[in-house]
Each structure stands twice: as C-alpha cells, then as structure tokens.
Amino acid sequence: MRRSRPAVLGMALALALGGGLGGTALGPPAATASAAASHESVPASAAVQQVGDDAIVQHYQQLGGGASFLGAPVGTPYDIAGGRAQNYAGGTIYWSPATGAHETHGSIGGHYAELGGPAGFLGFPLTDETATPGIPGRYNNFAGGTIYWSPATGAHETHGSIGGHYAELGGPAGFLGFPLTDETATPGIPGRYNNFAGGTIYWSPATGAHETHGSIGGHYAELGGPAGFLGFPLTDETGTPDGVGRFNHFAGGSIYWSPATGAHEIHGSIGGHYAELGGPAGFLGFPLTDETGTPDGVGRFNHFAGGSIYWSPATGAQEVHGAIRAQWAALGWEHSRLGYPTSDEYGITGGRRSDFQHGSILWHEASSRIEVIHATIPAALLGVDLERIPTTQKVVALTFDAGANDAGLPSILSTLTANGVPGTFFLTGNWVNQFPSDPALIYNAGNRIGNHSMTHPDFTTLTDAQIAAEISGAQRAIEAAGGDPLPFFRFPFGARDSRTIADVNGAGYAAVRWTVDTLGWQGTMNGTRGPAFIVQRVMASAQPGEIVLMHLGSNPDDGSTLDAAALPQVISQLRAAGYGFVTLDAALG
C-alpha cells in the first residue's frame, strides 16, 4: 500500500517522539536519553529533524514556494527551541511538534526575532501573518501571545491577561485600535501595561487587566497613572446608569466624566461619602473638581454640579448644597466663623439645616429665608449678663420676651416687617408648646430667636442639674418648631448670679440682659400709662448698643399690649435720632 505524504510525516513524527506504530518505545537507552536531556544544545533526533523539515517544505510549497513573498531559501533548516526553522529571502517558517509550520515575515517577523523568536516568551507561531478583518493591518498569533502591525503604529505584541482582555474588547477592530507598545512593566510598582491607539490596558496581580481611554484615561495619566494615588484600575471605563456619563474605578478612587463637567477624580472619605449619597445619580451629580486642599491647609473638598463635600480631620466628610451652601460660601466657606460642616443638610420643621463647627445655617421654606446661627461665644461675653452691645455705632437691638401669651405678636411682627426692622425674641419652651406655629412666624419674618428657659423659674433657686434641664428643654422645643435659640439666653425675671451665669455659658449660651425695660408688661396701671410712657423710657436710655426689653403678651389684669402699641413710635423716634436696628448677633463681633 502506498501511503500519502502526510501519513508518512505522521508516522515519522510518532517514531521520532519515542513510540513505534504499535506503541513500543523506540527511544535510546536510558543513559543516553538522560545525557541528551542534560544538554539543551544537543540537536533533535534525525527523525524529528526530518519531520520538521518536511513540514516546513510542505508549507513553503503551499505558500507558493520560490514564487511567493518568501522567495528563495537562505541556508539550510536548523534546530531552534525544540523545533526547526528555515530562513528565506522574505521571511522564516518555524515548526514545532505542538504548533506545526507557520511563517513570519516583514515588520512582524522582525519584531518577533527581536523578542527572541521561538525561544522567547511568545514561543512558536500558531498562524501565518494574517490581515486584520475590515481594517488595514496584520497579525501573527503565537503560543504565548500576538504581534499586531499597522502602517500607523508599527509592530507590537500583546500577551497574557492584557492580551486576553484586549481580544475581549475587540482587538484592533475595537475602540482601542492597534497597540502602540509591547507589554511593559510599570515603573517602580508590580504591574504591566500596553498602550494602544485608543487607550491603555493596565494589569497588576491584585486588580487584573482593565482599560482606560479618552478623557478619563488622559486625566488618569495626568494624576500619575498606576504610580499615582489612584493605583491600578479596577474596572474598564463604564457608562453611568443615567446614560450621560462614564467612570473608571481604581484601587485608590474613581474618575467620573460627563460632557458638561469633564473628567475629575474622587477618593478617600470624600469619595466614600459621595458614593453613599448616590454618586453621579444622586443630587450632587458629577464632580466639577478633583479633590483639592482647602486654603487653610487643614481640609479637603470636591465641588460637584449639585453641591460640595468638605472633609477635615475633626469633622469627617459632609456635604453642603443649595441655598445653605450659597450662604456658607458668601460667609467665606471654612474660613468663616462657622468653620467646617459637621453634618449633611437635613430636614427640620418647615425647612432644611446644616450644622457647622461653630453654628448652623437654616433655610425656611415658607419664606425662603436663610438664617445663620453663630454658636460660638466670644470670650468678652463669658461670665457676664450683657446689658449693652459693645459698640460705638448708633444701633439698637429690640428684644421681646414671650412667656405668657401671644396677644401682641401679630401687631409686633407687622410693625417690624413694615419698617424693615429685625428683632430678637426670647421664647420659653412652654410658650412654644402652647403656640407651636408662632416660632415660624417669627423667624420667617427675618427675626432672631433666643432661649428664655423651659418654664420661666428663678434660676438662683435651682440646682445646676435643674438649670441644665430648663435650658435644654427650651432648646429642644424651639428646635422642634424649626428654629434655633443658640447662643442667646435671657434669665427669667432677670434673676442671676455668677453661678447661674457660668451654668448658662457652660450650656453654650451667652446671657443677655437689657439696657432698658419698657415696663410695658405692667399694663396701663389703672389708666395712668399709655404708649407714650414706653416711648419715653426707650428714648431716655438711647445710646449706641442699647438693648430694649419689650414683651409679646398682654397684661393679665387689663389685657393691654402697650409694647405692641408703642413700637411704631419707638422705631420712628429712634430713627429720627439717627439709630439703626440690629439683632443680638451684632454682639458676637
């Protein structure tokens, strides 16, 4: 029987690799085999050489022989890395038992030789050089990777995890295009990368292989790439759920991009809080800045399309947004007396609130009013019951105590609003509970609220624990109504001593007395007093920083509200005398 040429080659290869046609080993004696194994330079057996050479000749003929791009043979076949090779004028055909015979030529063949040929990490070729489908370029697959070539990029290899991921992403026909580099070690850190026409794939043992490209990839490179604080990518670039933007997560943070905001990074505590708040799908939207150090050198921040997140070692990461953020910015951000935020914005009765190191900012929905609460007490106000604002300017603070009823409140608020004058209202907790909608009327009209205790007792008769309960009870009642009384407290009946003042200061309040009491709360005194009596007392005590004490309620005997009745003339005559009007916040400096 006459066997075909492939059959002869197959039998010869089987014999050369140590097995007879019937399965009987035909290899050399054990001692000879051991000696051959200890010398890599020992040529392959004659049978293996013949099989390889025959396969090379057969493939050469299939490619067109001397008339093909390979041209005429150069020299004779030779052993290489456990296989055989034959050089030609236009390239080389390589053969190994595992891969068969395949050619390399041109730029790809040249680069393959530079990388060590079959003895290098790429091993023997698995394909001839082949055109990349649909795009101008060429490639050879090898046992250990692939070399790609295009006119614009030249010849470069990919292999391992990076090569595998590149193939998953479409290879040169995908958005990455052809490689611009071989796989390369990342300087100074354990990892690898390949640059491509359309981006980069990075790999590390801990993160695997992921790509970056476009604006995100460019910004990642600006920030130091894998050697920077972001480290290696954990994801490919991915679309945000809203379909608007893109992101890459990295070992040390994330970069987000949208058409309106560009590419910016977030990381650390700010990045973590941003994710908790919904990331770009939340109310903050996409970042407008990278994380940046605050001018004071203490904290960090990111601005976003819908607000900001600020961080400091003392306060952690907190967001501010909307009208509250605008007010904080107008005050000087973290440089303001308020300092850094200590809370996210949260809901209160009738509005929203953010707390800061030294106060709060409140937004009242009904009036869209922004109220700034400074909770830090200047040293000059500690240990005293303030009787006058320390100033040389001709300003007066009108203050109103509430403890009985609210009979005079509508008139007082109407007068203050009509004249554009703010006041400070000291409320007891019991009064707030009795008239729960009144505090909103007060602060929505642009006035300030202070603490007048819970039940209006004489503080000099109370223990320290009872005093603390009176103060905190009123504070809770006022806060439940949507206001904040800090940092102003007025003693009921004006009864105080050094101990009670210290207790009030310890609770975070400055004690505020008055320059003049109008005595309107005493009523008409059987018809002997009227509004003119009130006006006369105020004007007799007029001075820079005057604190005027008036009352909201009616006299229990005659039902009069003399302070409310006198207020228009009090304002008119003080203005005629050159005075302006302030809240007690002016006492804070």
Side-chain angles (χ1 to χ4, degrees):
M1 179 180 68
R2 182 179 179 182
R3 291 189 174 91
S4 65
R5 183 177 182 86
V8 172
L9 290 173
M11 287 188 294
L13 179 58
L15 289 167
L17 294 178
L21 293 178
T24 304
L26 299 178
T32 305
S34 176
S38 67
H39 296 284
E40 294 182 357
S41 61
V42 172
S45 69
V48 171
Q49 289 179 354
Q50 187 61 53
V51 170
D53 294 350
D54 286 349
I56 289 173
V57 169
Q58 183 179 22
H59 194 53
Y60 177 56
Q61 292 172 348
Q62 290 170 346
L63 294 173
S68 71
F69 62 88
L70 287 175
V74 176
T76 60
Y78 55 92
D79 284 328
I80 187 168
R84 298 285 286 172
Q86 171 67 59
N87 294 331
Y88 300 87
T92 302
I93 296 178
Y94 296 93
W95 172 91
S96 79
T99 59
H102 300 287
E103 63 81 20
T104 68
H105 70 276
S107 296
I108 291 178
H111 195 47
Y112 178 54
E114 292 170 349
L115 295 173
F121 64 89
L122 288 175
F124 282 87
L126 298 176
T127 66
D128 294 341
E129 183 179 304
T130 306
T132 47
I135 52 174
R138 312 286 291 175
Y139 72 93
N140 270 75
N141 289 331
F142 299 87
T146 301
I147 297 179
Y148 295 91
W149 172 91
S150 79
T153 59
H156 301 287
E157 65 79 23
T158 68
H159 69 278
S161 296
I162 291 178
H165 194 47
Y166 177 55
E168 292 170 350
L169 295 172
F175 64 89
L176 288 174
F178 283 89
L180 299 178
T181 67
D182 294 343
E183 183 178 303
T184 306
T186 46
I189 51 175
R192 312 284 292 176
Y193 71 92
N194 270 79
N195 289 331
F196 299 86
T200 302
I201 297 179
Y202 294 92
W203 172 90
S204 79
T207 59
H210 301 286
E211 64 80 22
T212 69
H213 70 277
S215 295
I216 290 179
H219 195 46
Y220 177 55
E222 291 170 350
L223 295 172
F229 64 88
L230 287 175
F232 283 89
L234 297 177
T235 67
D236 293 344
E237 183 178 305
T238 306
T240 52
D242 59 8
V244 173
R246 310 285 292 173
F247 70 91
N248 273 77
H249 291 321
F250 300 88
S254 299
I255 297 178
Y256 287 88
W257 172 91
S258 78
T261 58
H264 301 287
E265 68 78 23
I266 59 165
H267 68 277
S269 296
I270 291 179
H273 196 44
Y274 177 58
E276 293 170 350
L277 296 172
F283 64 89
L284 288 175
F286 286 89
L288 298 177
T289 68
D290 292 345
E291 184 178 304
T292 306
T294 51
D296 63 5
V298 173
R300 310 283 294 175
F301 71 90
N302 274 78
H303 291 321
F304 299 87
S308 299
I309 297 179
Y310 275 77
W311 172 92
S312 77
T315 59
Q318 314 291 343
E319 66 81 19
V320 290
H321 69 277
I324 289 177
R325 176 183 180 271
Q327 180 63 56
W328 186 49
L331 294 172
W333 302 100
E334 74 282 355
H335 281 294
S336 70
R337 284 167 49 196
L338 291 175
Y340 285 88
T342 58
S343 76
D344 292 345
E345 182 179 305
Y346 59 94
I348 58 173
T349 300
R352 307 286 294 173
R353 173 176 179 150
S354 287
D355 296 325
F356 298 83
Q357 286 175 301
H358 308 299
S360 301
I361 299 178
L362 285 65
W363 174 77
H364 303 293
E365 184 176 12
S367 59
S368 295
R369 181 197 171 198
I370 290 291
E371 185 177 11
V372 179
I373 306 297
H374 293 291
T376 301
I377 306 171
L381 298 186
L382 296 175
V384 301
D385 193 13
L386 188 69
E387 296 182 359
R388 184 183 70 84
I389 296 173
T391 181
T392 58
Q393 296 181 346
K394 294 185 73 173
V395 293
V396 172
L398 299 178
T399 68
F400 305 87
D401 284 3
N405 58 56
D406 66 348
L409 181 61
S411 175
I412 289 171
L413 289 180
S414 177
T415 299
L416 292 176
T417 300
N419 288 276
V421 172
T424 303
F425 290 70
F426 286 93
L427 313 181
T428 67
N430 280 350
W431 187 90
V432 171
N433 290 337
Q434 186 179 359
F435 306 102
S437 62
D438 282 356
L441 298 176
I442 293 170
Y443 54 65
N444 281 328
N447 302 293
R448 191 70 159 84
I449 287 177
N451 190 325
H452 197 33
S453 81
M454 187 67 195
T455 64
H456 205 269
D458 181 337
F459 269 41
T460 61
T461 67
L462 303 181
T463 66
D464 292 340
Q466 290 171 325
I467 290 173
E470 283 285 332
I471 295 172
S472 63
Q475 180 168 325
R476 286 193 298 270
I478 294 169
E479 288 178 344
D484 193 321
L486 283 167
F488 302 116
F489 180 86
R490 176 166 281 161
F491 285 102
F493 311 109
R496 82 283 192 219
D497 53 27
S498 59
R499 177 183 69 91
T500 56
I501 292 174
D503 284 347
V504 167
N505 293 161
Y509 286 89
V512 180
R513 195 172 175 80
W514 53 81
T515 309
V516 57
D517 180 353
T518 66
L519 301 181
W521 56 274
Q522 292 181 349
T524 63
M525 300 295 286
N526 296 320
T528 62
R529 293 179 184 172
F533 173 80
I534 307 300
V535 175
Q536 185 276 328
R537 284 185 62 82
V538 172
M539 296 309 296
S541 299
Q543 59 185 288
E546 179 185 23
I547 300 173
V548 178
L549 168 61
M550 307 176 91
H551 286 76
L552 293 182
S554 60
N555 179 270
D557 298 323
D558 59 22
S560 64
T561 54
L562 289 186
D563 284 329
L567 186 58
Q569 281 299 308
V570 168
I571 293 172
S572 176
Q573 292 198 28
L574 282 170
R575 275 188 169 150
Y579 286 91
F581 298 91
V582 296
T583 66
L584 287 175
D585 285 301
L588 299 176

